[in-house]
Every structure is written in C-alpha cells, then in structure tokens.
Amino acid sequence: MRFSILSTEDDLAALEARWNDLAERSAGCSVFQSHGWQTVWWRIFGKGRDLRLILAEDDERLIGLLPAYVERTDLVPAIGLRKLRLIGHGGDTAPDDLGPILADETGERAVDLLIRGLISIQDEWDVAALDDLHPDCALLAALRERFGGRVEITEGVRISFVELPATFDDYLAKLSANRRWKIRRGRKKLNAHKPYRFELVATREELDRYYPELVKLHHDRWEHRSDDFGFSTAGYVDFHREVMAAMLEKDCLRLMVLINEDGVIAANYCYRWRDGFYFFQGGFSRAYESFRIGEVMMSHAIEQAIREGMAVFDMLRGEHDYKKSLTDRVRTRTDLQLYRPTLRTLSYRTLRAGYRRMRRLRARPEDAHGHAA
C-alpha cells in the first residue's frame, strides 16, 4: 500500500478509468466528485493553479483519492498565503459535497495514506482548506485526531432536500393543505392562460437549443434582485455549457423546460446521480410570475424525479423561502481548515477569526441563527 501525487492535466485525463472504478466502490461519492465534472472544472478554472491529486493505492488498485490544487492568495491584506483547496472550490461556481473519495471496503487505510500524502507536500501549502465535507467524513475525524488545535472545523452550508415517496400525489399529501392547493392551482391557471408542455432534454441538439434559454431565464429571474447571480460571467457560462454536455453523455443531466406559444418560459437544471436529483440552477420568465411559475417548474422537476424512481430531490446550497415551502428536511456540510504551525498562518488565523467575529456582529439577527441574508 502506498500514496502518490499526480500533478499534470495528462495525469488527470489518464486517471479516468481508475477514478470511475473508485467512484463505483464509494457510496459517498457525489456527482461533483465525478471525473467528468472535476475534469471540466479544472480545464475552465485551473489556470494559474497547481494540480495535486493525492492517491491512496493498494497494489495497482485505487482505494482513495483527494482531488486538490494549490493556489497563491491574498485574502488577508499584507499576508500572502498558499492554500490547498479541493477541486471545485475557488472557481466561478459553487458545488456541494466535495472531499475525499474513499473505497467503502478500505476507508481507514485509505484515509491514513491520504494524510501521509497531504503531509508529504506540506512545504507547498500554508493552509489546507477542505470545504463541503460530510459531517461524518473519515478524513475530517482523522485530521482532527492527529493535528488537534491545528484543525479548525466549522459548520458549512445548510441544504434542503425532499425525501421522495412512490407517487407525486403522495408527495403533495405530505405538504400543507395551503401549499398543495397553490401548486395545483398554479399549474391549472398557467395551462388555462396558455397551454404549456414539460420537456426533458435528451440530445446534444436539444441542449444547444435550450441552454441559452436557461441562461436568459435565470437572468430574468435574478438580475433585478441582486448583483450576485449565476451565469453572469463568461467562465460560469462556459463551464456549465461544457459540464452539462459531459453529464448528458453519461445520462447524468436533467435539464427540464416548460414551453408554451411564447417559447421557453421556465427551466430547471439538475443532475441525476445514483438515487437522487440535485437541483443546481433554474430560471423563469418574470412575465409569468403571477402564475407562480417558479413553483410550478419545481413541482414538475420533483414529479420527474419521482417518475424516474428517485429517493431524493436535493436542492443543494442556498437557503431560499421557496425551498423551505417544499420541504422541512435539512442536511449540513462541514468546512475544515488545517494550519501549518508558522508565524504566517498564525497571523492569518488570528485575522480570520477577527474578521468572522466582526461579520457576526454586523449580521442581521436571522444571520446569527444560520439563515442567509
């Protein structure tokens, strides 16, 4: 058994078959940890960063993988830091459910090898920032036990999800009477106004046709409300165009649209992964807001997940009221920072703690309880 470090794009490409085999043997592997998703992320956002793939191997078999990179940053004035981060963080998009990929049968041994690999390159980084880990992640517990006070652990994002029953009617029955009435009435009113149809993208031609509609509708939904929204930079648009095409080839993309005589009036962008749908982005025409078009679109997406026999409809990060109206189930992620014992990291850690205290003091009351502003 051994660990190794890979550091080139050719290494990343050549690892595909072994990576996919490991993912199949890892119950906790998410779509955002898949080789296809991570490869596109690195191609779009990896420029100026140093790839570090930490492998745990048993003979020639891959039993653990930590896909990471090192970047230089000046997040704190006058302190330049080298951060080791997970592939998927630091670009112009925000995935969830990252961390190590561990073969179910060799968890502890794989974790030990990954930690040895992490230590072997510690001269290259000052802080290892490992965000969006599962709270029960074996690597998290092992790092905390091994490094004690050098590890800082904080609660990460809160994520709403729906446990799906056998039928859509069963799902509606779990909602409040008022919410159930609004969904049914919204669909009925929208169809009476102008008959619409639900479509699921199945081909690359359809993706090329409907992806620009998703971008346009997302802008229509959000740009008048915020300066910070998706599809607002070239990198974000390019990344999701590429990653959606890659996921479509593997039958992991679920891009759904509502169409009437005016064209596409709503879109919902999900991934299908194992037993769940994972909602990433969406948008709708504001001209149809009075018909509760966003809620109607989401209800069709949930119905499609049930139709495909999924167990979960996961809404990923973002604490929005419309998510809370559809479910009361929440899961959390965990963020970890591992500091090397140097004056530079001590200064950074002190300033970071002060900045976080200041943010809490300035936050609105609901922020102090973990809700988004």
Side-chain angles (χ1 to χ4, degrees):
M1 297 184 68
R2 64 183 184 278
F3 70 84
S4 59
I5 311 294
L6 303 181
S7 59
T8 71
E9 287 195 31
D10 288 343
D11 291 330
L12 176 59
L15 200 57
E16 180 176 7
R18 300 178 69 205
W19 189 316
N20 289 340
D21 176 68
L22 174 63
E24 286 295 319
R25 293 180 286 119
S26 173
C29 182
S30 77
V31 65
F32 303 112
Q33 295 171 292
S34 67
H35 184 269
W37 202 96
Q38 297 239 322
T39 298
V40 177
W41 189 96
W42 186 254
R43 183 163 58 246
I44 299 294
F45 298 117
K47 186 176 180 180
R49 293 163 165 152
D50 299 324
L51 183 64
R52 295 294 180 268
L53 303 172
I54 305 175
L55 279 59
E57 298 169 284
D58 187 353
D59 289 330
E60 295 302 316
R61 199 175 199 200
L62 192 61
I63 60 172
L65 173 64
L66 188 68
Y69 66 89
V70 177
E71 68 175 356
R72 281 76 179 167
T73 179
D74 292 316
L75 291 180
V76 178
I79 299 181
L81 283 176
R82 301 165 302 167
K83 274 194 172 184
L84 184 135
R85 307 188 72 182
L86 298 172
I87 294 178
H89 276 300
D92 191 17
T93 192
D96 296 311
D97 303 315
L98 298 176
I101 307 170
L102 303 170
D104 295 336
E105 73 275 12
T106 54
E108 290 185 8
R109 289 180 293 160
V111 166
D112 180 65
L113 290 169
L114 292 180
I115 291 177
R116 288 166 56 189
L118 193 61
I119 293 172
S120 76
I121 58 170
Q122 64 181 334
D123 289 343
E124 300 181 17
W125 52 268
D126 302 303
V127 180
L130 309 180
D131 294 336
D132 282 310
L133 305 179
H134 191 285
D136 297 328
C137 174
L139 180 64
L140 187 155
L143 288 173
R144 178 168 47 193
E145 180 179 351
R146 183 157 185 169
F147 295 103
R150 290 170 55 188
V151 172
E152 178 183 289
I153 296 174
T154 55
E155 182 178 295
V157 296
R158 292 164 54 86
I159 297 170
S160 298
F161 68 96
V162 181
E163 291 181 326
L164 299 176
T167 70
F168 186 63
D169 285 340
D170 290 340
Y171 165 69
L172 291 177
K174 294 167 61 178
L175 302 177
S176 68
N178 182 54
R179 181 59 52 192
R180 186 164 57 248
W181 176 81
K182 286 181 177 179
I183 290 174
R184 286 172 170 158
R185 178 171 171 77
R187 288 188 176 197
K188 185 176 181 180
K189 283 184 62 179
L190 182 64
N191 201 58
H193 175 67
K194 291 181 181 179
Y196 73 90
R197 67 183 187 274
F198 170 87
E199 286 195 9
L200 179 66
V201 166
T203 68
R204 180 60 189 265
E205 181 182 3
E206 291 173 346
L207 176 59
D208 292 341
R209 183 192 318 155
Y210 291 129
Y211 179 65
E213 298 294 333
L214 168 66
V215 175
K216 182 180 71 174
L217 291 168
H218 184 82
H219 280 224
D220 196 22
R221 169 72 174 89
W222 288 108
E223 64 184 354
H224 68 292
R225 297 188 175 200
S226 171
D227 294 328
D228 183 19
F229 55 92
F231 304 106
S232 57
T233 67
Y236 193 104
V237 173
D238 290 346
F239 169 75
H240 285 286
R241 181 187 296 111
E242 286 198 35
V243 83
M244 289 168 82
M247 294 296 103
L248 180 65
E249 288 184 5
K250 300 179 183 301
D251 194 30
C252 293
L253 176 68
R254 291 297 182 269
L255 177 59
M256 296 160 275
V257 294
L258 300 184
I259 305 172
N260 67 10
E261 64 186 52
D262 294 332
V264 180
I265 57 175
N268 188 301
Y269 162 25
C270 296
Y271 299 109
R272 172 178 167 157
W273 184 255
R274 295 181 175 171
D275 66 348
F277 270 30
Y278 294 83
F279 170 62
F280 200 91
Q281 282 290 12
F284 57 78
S285 169
R286 288 168 58 200
Y288 286 85
E289 202 159 10
S290 63
F291 295 93
R292 309 186 70 84
I293 181 67
E295 190 171 59
V296 170
M297 178 74 254
M298 188 65 77
S299 73
H300 278 288
I302 292 172
E303 185 174 17
Q304 178 63 28
I306 293 172
R307 189 178 297 120
E308 294 190 35
M310 298 293 100
V312 175
F313 188 91
D314 195 298
M315 301 187 194
L316 298 177
R317 70 177 60 212
E319 294 188 72
H320 301 291
D321 289 340
Y322 75 87
K323 295 182 180 181
K324 298 173 186 176
S325 73
L326 298 170
T327 182
D328 60 358
R329 299 301 308 274
V330 175
R331 63 188 181 92
T332 60
R333 306 305 290 171
T334 300
D335 298 338
L336 179 146
Q337 303 250 334
L338 171 62
Y339 300 94
R340 290 186 61 211
T342 66
L343 288 176
R344 181 185 310 189
T345 53
L346 176 61
S347 300
Y348 167 74
R349 192 173 183 180
T350 301
L351 290 172
R352 183 171 182 269
Y355 174 71
R356 292 173 62 196
R357 283 196 297 270
M358 183 174 63
R359 283 191 62 187
R360 285 196 294 269
L361 290 173
R362 290 180 176 179
R364 298 204 307 259
E366 61 266 35
D367 288 336
H369 291 86
H371 301 291

